[in-house]
Every structure is written in C-alpha cells, then in structure tokens.
Amino acid sequence: MSTRSSDRYGPSSPDRVRREPFGTTADGRSVERFTLTSSGGVTISVLSFGGVIQRILVPDRDGTRADVTLGYDTLPEYEKDKSYLGALVGRYANRIRGGRFSLDGREYTLAQNAGGNSLHGGARGFNKVVWSVEPFEEGSDVGLVLQHVSPDGDEGYPGTLRVRVTYRLTTDGALVIDFFATTDAATPVNLTQHAYFNLARTGSGDILGHLLELGASRFTPVDASLIPTGELRRVQGTPFDFSTAETVGARIGADDEQLRLAGGYDHNFVIDRQGATDLALAARLTDPVSARGVDIHTTEPGIQFYTGNFLDGTVKGKGGVPHRYRSGLALETQHFPNSPNEPSFPSTILRPGEEHRSRTVYHFVVRD
Ligand code: BGC
C-alpha cells in the first residue's frame, strides 16, 4: 500500500518535526514520539502508540505557552490508561449496546468492556495499537500520516479495515485531523480523537469555569447505561443548552435526570449543519482567565461532550499530578453512539468499494 506521504507531500525538516524514541511496549513494540512545531506558536507531540496527542502547547493572551491536554510522561502509563487520554479511538468510538449488532442478517458479538456495553472499540482498540507514522511538510503546514490495518475479526468486527489518519498543523494554529478507512467486508466504523482539554493548563484545576458554546440545538438523551434512547431532544430550556456561551459548571449540578444518569455531561450532541458533509461549527471552548480558546469544526453529525466525570484522582498524569474529577473535558466528534442498533441514526456502516472520510479541525486561538 502506498503511503500518501511520499506521493503527495514533501519530506520534513528536523526543526519543524522532531522524531525520537519513546520506549518499548511490554510486548516489545517500539514506540516513537513526533513533535510538530508551527510558526504560529502551537506545538503538538504525537505518539505512534495509540496515535496519542500527548502534548499541545498553546500561547495565552500574553504569549505564555502552556500544555492544554491531559496525558502522561511515559509509555507504561499510556499502556495502562483506561481514560483514552489523547488517543485515536476505533473501530467504533463510544458505546454499542450489549456489545452486539446485526449486519446483513449476521449477528456480531464484541467485547463488553463498559457495564455490559462495548466502548471505544473494545478491549484492545486503536488506542492500544502502534501505528506506522510518517511526517510530511506541505507548503507551510507540517504533519503526520498514521496508518493501521485492523485484521478481519479484530475485537469481533468483520472485515479487514485499513485506516489512515492525518494530523496537519497550520501556521495559524489549526490542527486538521483527517480520517480515512476502507474495508473488504461491511463493518461499522466510527473514528474519533479523544483529547481532553484544560485550557488553563493540564494539572491546574477543574474545567468548570471554561466557557462552552455548542453548535447543537438537540442532543441524544441516554438510559442508565449511557446508551441513547433514540430520541433527538431539543436542548432549549435545559442544562444542555450551550447554543450561547455558558460556563461548563453553571448547570452541571442541576436537578436533571440526564445529568444524574451520566454523573454530569457525557452526552452526544446533534450538530446543526447545512449540508451532510460540510465543515460545521461543533464547539467553541474558552478559558476566560488565560483567553486560550479552541474552535472545533467537523464533518461529523455529532459531538460527545464529556466532563471527565470518571476521572477520580487515583491515576497520576504528567509531572505526577493526579487526574482529578473534572480536571479535563473531551469534545469527541463522531457519529452517534449505538448507531449500528439504531436505524434512525445516520449510518456508520462502511462497505467494500466505499471510502470512509471525515475531517475535524481544532483551531487554537487567543480570544479577545
Ligand atoms: C465516554 C465516557 C467514558 C470515557 C472513557 C468518553 O468518550 O463518553 O463515558 O467513560 O470516554 O474515558
């Protein structure tokens, strides 16, 4: 299989892409770390393990850079991680009810790794594989092409799935993430990036004071096991209304059944969009103190907003600082949870001869 990096992009220069060893997994796989630097002041570090975004350095209103993503300093910590910190998630991001679905008259069983459901690809999802990674430069952009082949039957999913993800950093502070996949048998595919943000600085406290705006007038309410009921509910008049900027914490403790079921926000929002495939605004997040912001645009129909309700301070992250309750939040662009069992949701089934394509852009900005 040709790597697009060599066909389309020029070779990378060492000052803009640093490539270094990052250790060896417990089962002997070598892992590298790639650090991309853009002239606009944003630096990201990416691991070949899990395609993890380990570090995102972003300037504040005074130009002071801080790392705004949760993660770890070492590979063994990423191997043990159960929170999907910074990782690429697949084959199916989010939950599939009972770890079961049927497709073209056949029943498939997946690992039930989250309260009887299958979560984020199963026991060993794309977050635990070592991706093949090649850096590239294209004009003033710098980036990485990550590739992985998921074999037929992997975690119970049918078909050989060839996945390619590109991370491209532009000079104006945008990280453009493109997902591609092809298969030789019909299979569900739902890929996402699972970065947790704390725009004040990772390890600095909770995210309840961040301002959030979501481009969504509806969300998908869930049952007690966090599987959507199938309803698309209007957010208006509920604590789920982020159609204008509101702090994350303003209503998180409200007396609301959906907040109680998930222990906070852990819900998929339905992105308002003109066309099915345009890049639409999904989320705008701001730390009002530092003025660091991130705008998220996507071609996906949904975004999971998760306030780190399962982080409990028992696991230490970078610099030995525990990942405390709600110390980071994830905004995961994706198709809706449990789509293979919910015919009314946009389909996640990829068939032979088709190409899965999806784009998400994180644009890091200083908010005036
Ligand atoms: C899910 C949470 C889950 C977390 C795992 C999120 O994407 O929405 O329910 O606990 O991933 O870290």
Side-chain angles (χ1 to χ4, degrees), residues 82-84 94-95 119-120 194 196 226 266-267 304 306 310 330 332 334:
K82 292 191 166 52
S83 302
Y84 301 82
N94 219 312
R95 291 175 171 78
L119 176 67
H120 292 335
H194 207 295
Y196 289 67
L226 301 186
D266 194 355
H267 294 79
Q304 182 84 7
Y306 169 57
F310 295 114
E332 310 150 42
Q334 55 190 248

Side-chain angles (χ1 to χ4, degrees), residues 46 68 82 87 111 113 152 171 175 183 185 194-195 201 299 302 307 319 361:
V46 173
V68 298
K82 292 191 166 52
N113 59 331
D152 182 28
T171 48
L175 174 62
T183 184
H194 207 295
R201 180 171 51 78
T299 58
T307 41
V361 181

Side-chain angles (χ1 to χ4, degrees), residues 207-213 245-248 284-288:
I207 42 66
L208 298 177
H210 281 41
L211 280 167
L212 178 67
E213 182 186 333
E246 184 51 272
T247 60
V248 169
R284 218 183 270 276
L285 183 70
T286 308
D287 166 38

Side-chain angles (χ1 to χ4, degrees), residues 171-208:
T171 48
D172 72 341
L175 174 62
V176 182
I177 308 173
D178 281 306
F179 299 89
F180 305 90
T182 55
T183 184
D184 60 9
T187 183
V189 179
N190 192 22
L191 306 174
T192 195
Q193 218 305 324
H194 207 295
Y196 289 67
F197 296 108
N198 184 328
L199 298 178
R201 180 171 51 78
T202 182
S204 67
D206 66 47
I207 42 66
L208 298 177

